Amino acid sequence: MVFKKKCQYFSLVSLLILNIWAIHAPCRPLNEEFMLQRHEEWMAQHGRVYKDAVEKERRYQVFKSNVEYIENFNNNGMDRGYKLAVNKFSDLTNDEFRSMYTGYKRRQTSETLSTSKDKDTSFEYGNLTSVPTSIDWRKKGAVTPVKDQGSCGCCWAFSAVAAMEGITQIKTGKLVSLSEQELVDCDTQDSGCSGGLMNIAFEFIKSNRGLTTEANYPYEGVDGTCKTKKAGRKAAAITGYKDVPANNEKALLQAVASQPVSVAIEGSGYSFQFYSTGVFSGDCDTYLNHAVTAIGYGTSSAGTKYWLMKNSWGTGWGEDGYMRIQRDVAAREGLCGLAMEPSYPTA
């Protein structure tokens, strides 16, 4: 009898301990062994190899910190309208990410481009009184598949090329993937992997009488010498470019309703680095350091207006390489400064 009571007592105590453990388990810090295994799997998935054990340990600590940030953001009980996720940038500090994967050089003065011989200061879409409630230039065949700039800071070239591919398809009915590497190698007014401006790229493209195809002059992701023989085989051309009136999302809407538009943005914060899905609503500033291409706009099922942006970080980032970012915000500059310096090529 005594033995039976002792067994019942220990059973009750065990159940109590298990219940307490179950209640508090979600609050425990991430299991170190599990996190180490997760890092190993992530390394294998992304083909990451470190030079030695010291570097591997340092990268593991960065990875762990980023995973904790992502999971805390997603599980904090607040619905921000978008989610973050572990991606190929997860072993980089935010400073490293910013220095390696952006590359837009913000305009220094209003005079910098005002004397350009290729810029038409008129805004041809300003008289549009009726625009569709939503548009997606992918569905109209004017957007090539998402590309990947790698660790070369030439987002400016990818943005300019995407806008040019769009207007070329609209004018000719043919979608042709054009060469970013030609811009990186041959446009000496920009700085290749060290950054540049879409408008200067448009000026170069006009004076260069166009660009060749990506197939003819493939992307290498490094600064190279201009391969003039390959660059001589032009596949598309533009007549110049125009700026969208600054700090005016209505004007940007009119432009994007008509063609894909190059957009400068502040795209280097933690939330931008690990954006996965949903309508992005911050956090970000207006220090323009990255370039994307506005290829549409719409309204989410939750009623949030958004811009549809094509990025150049591969399909493993965001929504298969794209971002929906909040539209019609209170700030005139637009979210992350997206309405500050948009422009588009003419053909």
Side-chain angles (χ1 to χ4, degrees):
M1 180 65 74
V2 173
F3 176 76
K4 185 177 180 180
K5 286 184 177 179
K6 284 184 176 180
C7 287
Q8 290 174 338
Y9 171 77
F10 283 117
S11 295
L12 288 170
V13 170
S14 298
L15 284 171
L16 181 61
I17 291 171
L18 286 171
N19 285 334
I20 292 171
W21 179 85
I23 291 170
H24 290 282
C27 302
R28 292 180 302 126
L30 291 166
N31 182 276
E32 195 74 15
E33 187 174 332
F34 171 76
M35 185 62 73
L36 284 165
Q37 180 62 32
R38 191 169 177 181
H39 184 229
E40 291 288 345
E41 292 171 354
W42 178 89
M43 288 173 59
Q45 178 186 354
H46 295 282
R48 191 78 87 247
V49 178
Y50 303 118
K51 63 180 181 179
D52 54 34
V54 174
E55 175 66 8
K56 183 177 180 180
E57 173 61 23
R58 189 173 82 83
R59 290 297 164 191
Y60 166 69
Q61 293 300 331
V62 174
F63 177 84
K64 178 183 176 182
S65 176
N66 285 334
V67 171
E68 290 173 346
Y69 174 86
I70 291 164
E71 295 193 349
N72 286 335
F73 179 93
N74 289 339
N75 300 322
N76 69 356
M78 293 177 60
D79 183 8
R80 297 285 300 274
Y82 67 99
K83 294 290 185 180
L84 309 182
V86 172
N87 59 26
K88 66 180 179 180
F89 304 130
S90 297
D91 70 341
L92 299 176
T93 67
N94 187 245
D95 286 341
E96 290 171 329
F97 168 75
R98 181 184 297 111
S99 66
M100 295 170 66
Y101 290 96
T102 56
Y104 178 81
K105 288 189 173 181
R106 190 172 184 179
R107 301 178 194 174
Q108 297 301 308
T109 68
S110 59
E111 296 179 19
T112 304
L113 295 161
S114 62
T115 58
S116 167
K117 62 183 180 299
D118 293 325
K119 186 179 77 171
D120 184 340
T121 56
S122 65
F123 179 52
E124 62 191 303
Y125 302 128
N127 293 326
L128 287 181
T129 56
S130 177
V131 297
T133 56
S134 66
I135 196 166
D136 183 342
W137 283 105
R138 295 175 299 186
K139 296 178 180 178
K140 295 179 177 293
V143 182
T144 59
V146 168
K147 304 178 185 182
D148 193 342
Q149 70 186 72
S151 57
C152 169
C154 63
C155 55
W156 58 273
F158 282 84
S159 174
V161 164
M164 182 177 172
E165 290 168 343
I167 191 61
T168 300
Q169 191 279 336
I170 291 168
K171 294 292 186 179
T172 68
K174 297 179 181 179
L175 181 63
V176 180
S177 184
L178 300 172
S179 175
E180 292 84 9
Q181 192 66 44
E182 183 180 352
L183 282 175
V184 171
D185 291 351
C186 306
D187 175 5
T188 58
Q189 296 304 305
D190 281 306
S191 301
C193 291
S194 297
L197 287 165
M198 289 81 82
N199 285 3
I200 295 177
F202 293 144
E203 291 179 358
F204 167 81
I205 293 166
K206 181 186 177 182
S207 64
N208 194 49
R209 297 183 180 179
L211 287 178
T212 191
T213 64
E214 182 179 23
N216 182 52
Y217 202 144
Y219 185 66
E220 297 178 0
V222 293
D223 292 319
T225 56
C226 186
K227 300 172 179 62
T228 53
K229 187 174 181 179
K230 286 188 175 184
R233 295 162 57 184
K234 305 307 179 190
I238 59 174
T239 59
Y241 74 94
K242 295 184 180 182
D243 285 337
V244 177
N247 303 322
N248 187 333
E249 285 197 84
K250 179 183 177 182
L252 182 57
L253 187 78
Q254 292 169 317
V256 177
S258 305
Q259 66 180 91
V261 174
S262 287
V263 171
I265 201 168
E266 197 280 294
S268 58
Y270 274 109
S271 294
F272 214 99
Q273 181 176 348
F274 299 117
Y275 166 77
S276 174
T277 187
V279 179
F280 185 80
S281 56
D283 303 307
C284 55
D285 204 341
T286 56
Y287 184 80
L288 305 179
N289 57 12
H290 187 50
V292 293
T293 312
I295 61 155
Y297 57 84
T299 305
S300 72
S301 57
T304 304
K305 294 180 180 179
Y306 65 81
W307 297 105
L308 178 60
M309 301 292 188
K310 182 186 183 184
N311 203 351
S312 52
W313 292 340
T315 56
W317 176 89
E319 296 181 330
D320 297 322
Y322 297 90
M323 169 184 265
R324 286 179 293 157
I325 183 169
Q326 192 172 359
R327 175 167 60 95
D328 286 355
V329 298
R332 294 175 63 248
E333 300 85 358
L335 189 60
C336 305
L338 62 83
M340 293 172 69
E341 296 182 1
S343 60
Y344 56 92
T346 56

